[in-house]
Amino acid sequence: MQEFELIAKTFQGLEEVLAQELTELGANNVQLGRRMVSFTGDKAMMYRANFCLRTAVRILKPIKHFKAKDADDVYNAVRKIDWSQYLDLDTTFAVDSVVFSDEFRHSKFVAYKVKDAIVDYFRETQGERPNIRITNPDVKLNIHIADEDCTLSLDSSGESLHLRGYRVATVEAPINEVLAAGLIKMTGWQGDTDFIDPFCGSGTFLVEAALMARNIYPGVFRKSFGFEKWKDFDADLLQEIYDDDSQEREFTHHIYGYDINVPTVEIALKNVRSAGVSDIVSVEQKDFRQFKNPSEHAIMVTNPPYGERLTPPDILGLYQAIGKVLKNEFQGGEAWIISSKQELFENIGLRPSFKVQIFNGKIDCDFRKYQLFNGKLSDFRAEGGKVKTDEERRLMSDQRRFRTKRDDFKKRFDEEDNRRFDDDDLDPDYLILRRKHREFEEIHGQRKPNRGKAGYGKREGGFGKREGGFGKRDDKFKKRDGDFKKGGFKKDFKKNFKKGGDSRKGGFKSGGEFKKKGFFRADGSFSDAE
């Protein structure tokens, strides 16, 4: 198959993890950007990227690069495209826009100009116009403008890829599935130990860890993908990807989740059962202060409340208890905690061996590693223990080099929030590298589109019925019952502190080319604490 350019969008801080996933998947020309990774591949790679990637929000297929100084330039460039390759009169479509330009100050206006150009193309060539539908369109388009550089893309994902499909119940502030998967990958956990989340909430960390441990791709739960409504959709190719479970494996350890609230535990159990991993995941009601040292070696990854959307009565006391429990009951273990506010981390009272800045939605957070051991640090190292890996040292060094960019990103994040157009994507913005902007063939190929064969095959007694009871899909890829709520509200964090603000300084790696050799071994953004 012919290869073409693709863009995988992700959250700030997960670019390297996503690049690693793409390389392992077989993508070519993998390059890092800010909140995106570009790569090349054929149609099968595009399908697999949507089906297999855990840390991508959506996959875009650019169809035209051009320069524009004003709205008329955008209209004229879009109008020249042969839209009959992508749309029919009975095809509904919508346009999402992301704009970083002094000339284009309103992203919706840009989206309207793109829509006008497409509608006028059909009026002039066929005498009629296709319909525009904001919710659940047949085809989604994305226009990205950075200064004068414009990229128009087809959105191959449809709904954001964080909407896996296994979540049938939720809590007030669930962590985003893509962020949860990225953080687990960042720890380097390979399913070779037990996994513990003592603040499990709706069970997102638990389910994502279980899927990784068995190497079950998140696409098995999806209702559909955007490319299924494209004119050249190949149903047989997607069926082949869906049926391939050759990479799945056994998991000989166990995953434990705890939460202090009984209703929350019940919600987590529903999601665990929905994902079909209840045989390797246990969820119990327990106060973290009652946590006891596990009998088997384990890693802990957790997202405790941090006063942004959920505010416990004594949040500082809670973090003091976290530090005390880790020190006394998790010796020999490795704990990873995501939270915001320096005051909270200070109350843990332990020195982190590694930390990385992560934006959990708009919330500026740290993801910190605590290596727990008995006795003195010198004795631990003498016995061969490593507090910080070489890759963790490299990443922390990279962050120090880019400290000045952190505040700039926070400011830009606030500006972006006011320009959002597509509400179903929790993080709809991506920045394509300007140096990658190049002249792009105006129209891709002249080959007649192939819709593929209608209908789908069956797998083990019914489409998508897999052992363990997960991933059930009928012959039209329908989603299991459930919903995803974005509920929750922000409370005034300052009421819980004598001193406010964020005393941290730091930065993050903003880009550069991805190198396959010497890459971050551990694979590693929307919501507040569960």
Side-chain angles (χ1 to χ4, degrees), residues 49 69 82 202 265 278 282 286 331 346 358 362 371 382 389 395 442 449 452 525:
K69 294 182 179 180
D82 181 5
S202 62
V265 169
S278 56
S282 301
K286 181 181 289 188
Q331 296 174 354
E346 288 177 351
I358 291 289
K362 293 192 295 182
Q371 184 68 59
T389 67
L395 285 178
E442 181 172 312
S525 254

Side-chain angles (χ1 to χ4, degrees), residues 474-486:
D474 62 20
D475 63 343
K476 291 186 179 179
F477 283 54
K478 290 188 177 179
K479 182 180 180 182
R480 51 171 80 240
D481 293 336
D483 58 4
F484 180 84
K485 299 180 181 179
K486 299 181 182 178

Side-chain angles (χ1 to χ4, degrees), residues 66-71 73-75 78 96-107 109-111 113-114 142-152 419 430-432 434 437:
F66 59 94
K67 289 185 178 292
K69 294 182 179 180
D70 54 35
D73 288 347
V74 173
Y75 174 90
V78 176
D96 177 28
S97 54
V98 180
V99 178
F100 300 99
S101 171
D102 292 333
E103 182 64 35
F104 304 92
R105 296 180 178 275
H106 202 294
S107 60
F109 179 68
V110 173
K113 296 300 288 187
V114 173
N142 180 285
I143 178 72
H144 178 276
I145 300 178
D147 295 327
E148 296 182 358
D149 295 336
C150 307
T151 301
L152 183 63
R419 291 198 289 257
Y430 77 102
L431 292 177
I432 193 167
R434 292 186 62 188
H437 184 82

Side-chain angles (χ1 to χ4, degrees), residues 199 288 302 304-305 315-328 335-352 366 368-370 372:
F199 297 91
F288 183 70
T302 193
I315 192 169
L316 294 181
L318 172 63
Y319 277 76
Q320 290 173 353
I322 290 174
K324 182 178 179 181
V325 170
L326 291 180
K327 181 179 180 180
N328 297 328
W336 293 75
I337 299 174
I338 179 174
S339 186
S340 70
K341 302 294 181 182
Q342 180 69 12
E343 292 88 344
L344 298 179
F345 282 114
E346 288 177 351
N347 273 271
I348 291 179
L350 300 174
R351 182 177 179 179
D366 271 6
R368 300 193 179 189
K369 171 187 175 182
Y370 295 90
L372 290 310

Side-chain angles (χ1 to χ4, degrees), residues 436-454:
K436 280 187 57 60
H437 184 82
R438 62 185 182 273
E439 291 300 326
F440 195 76
E441 184 178 4
E442 181 172 312
I443 300 172
H444 282 291
Q446 301 299 323
R447 179 171 57 86
K448 277 191 173 183
N450 174 22
R451 290 180 177 273
K453 297 180 180 179

